[in-house]
Amino acid sequence: MCCSLAAVLGVLVHVGVTRQTVSAARDKALEQLHDATRAYEAGEALPPESGLDPAALPQSLRQLALSGRRGTVVAERDGRPTMWAAAPADGRALATAVDYEQSARTITGLDNAIIGSSVLAIGGTLLVGGFAVRRVTGRLHQTATVARRISRGELDARVGDAGGAGRGASARSARLDEVATVARALDTMAGTLQAKLVSEQRFTADVAHELRTPLTGLQAASELLPEGRATDLVRERVRTMRRLTEDLLEISRLDSGSGVVETDLHRLGRVAERVVRAAGTDTEVVVVRDAHVETDRRRLERVLGNLVVNAHRHGRGPVVLTVAGPVVTVRDHGEGYPEYLLAHGPQRFRSGGAGGGGGGGGKGHGLGLTIAAGQAEAIGARLEFRNAGSGGGAEAVLTLPWPPAAGGR
């Protein structure tokens, strides 16, 4: 806007001064033409720079005078700008010339001054504006970076800690700084969100810890019951509740990030076979290309175990676990994952009825896939859920970091 204003003002000044200069030169030429006309009519000698049909008279002005009208025009005469004025005189053109060089030089000097001052003004405006814009956009970019960190789960990230928009030069400038206001609002929001999430995590962990003691006693008491169908049902329910409690504790640890990832070099095909044996399910293991991966074996086995159990519990056989380099695929042949899971990922305590993938590895409470996704993120792996194209069924694809530091095979 400042640059546009400078350009508009320059144009207006140029037009105004040029119009004034030309008007003054025209008035002088017409006044001289009037004197020449009176001298011609009185039969007196014409004033200097006046004459009938001068050779240097511009042709357009000559035609205008011969047509019976009076006019003026600026043209070159002997390489110098000249203001010509002409009028009809007995079928001829009576013309007079006024030197226009000084006026033209004045206009040229004015134009140069306008251009120079405009360039200086625009340059200064661009420098100051660029500095101000870089400050604002830099701080906004820093605020956006912190917002993205918070969205990735780094709830302790703050704009003020980064030394950006949260730090004003003074308390007064900070109060008047809209960017600082946005930064403080973001920090406040992050702090409130972090406090609520920590409170929820603590509540989940406390509930799980409180449930472990009575469930342990309940399981011990169930072992003392006489054998029978009712006893088997009670024992199965107690085991289910204990698994749910352990899952809650594991989710609480994943949310808080308190667990330690212990990595080592493992052969992926061997880990997959161990997981299938431990699950006790009829799962086919296909090793297309084995690989060594550097990862936390316990967490990896937890991910694969939950995927296998989920495929059997919520899908239909055959269930196939395929190892192809650092990529492990668990596929069943059920109805596929529900739409909400494909769109938003696993959700806690939501199961999907019939069909592959349902809601999770734990029947009815939907924590298995949630834990699998959390453990995969902890070891730096990518877990994707999709429905198979041909033959139907659900596919869970786990991609581990590759290659490991020690190389792969």
Side-chain angles (χ1 to χ4, degrees), residues 330-386:
V330 178
R331 176 181 178 179
D332 63 54
H333 289 75
E335 297 179 8
Y337 289 117
E339 291 299 326
Y340 80 86
L341 191 146
L342 295 175
H344 306 290
Q347 300 179 20
R348 301 175 186 181
F349 300 105
R350 180 172 180 178
S351 55
K363 185 176 182 180
H365 51 77
L367 293 180
L369 292 186
T370 303
I371 292 174
Q375 294 289 15
E377 183 179 359
I379 61 177
R382 185 175 73 253
L383 181 58
E384 300 173 284
F385 301 96
R386 63 196 184 196

Side-chain angles (χ1 to χ4, degrees), residues 118-132:
S118 298
V119 169
L120 289 177
I122 291 173
T125 301
L126 291 177
L127 288 176
V128 175
F131 175 74

Side-chain angles (χ1 to χ4, degrees), residues 205-273:
D206 291 344
V207 168
H209 277 294
E210 291 297 326
L211 286 175
R212 292 180 78 178
T213 301
L215 283 175
T216 301
L218 188 60
Q219 184 175 20
S222 68
E223 299 297 331
L224 302 177
L225 294 176
E227 298 296 331
R229 180 175 178 80
T231 299
D232 293 339
L233 182 61
V234 169
R235 290 173 180 172
E236 192 273 334
R237 293 302 181 187
V238 170
R239 285 193 295 269
T240 300
M241 290 189 67
R242 288 205 65 180
R243 284 196 300 270
L244 174 58
T245 302
E246 296 299 328
D247 287 347
L248 288 173
L249 284 173
E250 187 169 357
I251 286 181
S252 177
R253 287 192 292 268
L254 287 171
D255 288 341
S256 63
S258 58
V260 178
V261 179
E262 299 177 354
T263 61
D264 201 354
L265 199 61
H266 302 282
R267 209 169 97 189
L268 193 53
R270 187 177 299 169
V271 173
E273 293 170 353

Side-chain angles (χ1 to χ4, degrees), residues 145-159:
T145 300
V146 173
R148 284 191 290 269
R149 289 175 57 193
I150 294 173
S151 67
R152 291 196 299 265
E154 300 179 37
L155 298 181
D156 56 345
R158 297 292 185 272
V159 181

Side-chain angles (χ1 to χ4, degrees), residues 69 73 78 110 125 133 168 176 209 214 224 274 339 347 354 360 385-386 391 399 407:
R69 290 180 293 172
V73 69
D78 299 332
L110 176 65
T125 301
V133 168
L176 300 178
H209 277 294
L224 302 177
R274 185 186 300 111
E339 291 299 326
Q347 300 179 20
F385 301 96
R386 63 196 184 196
T399 305

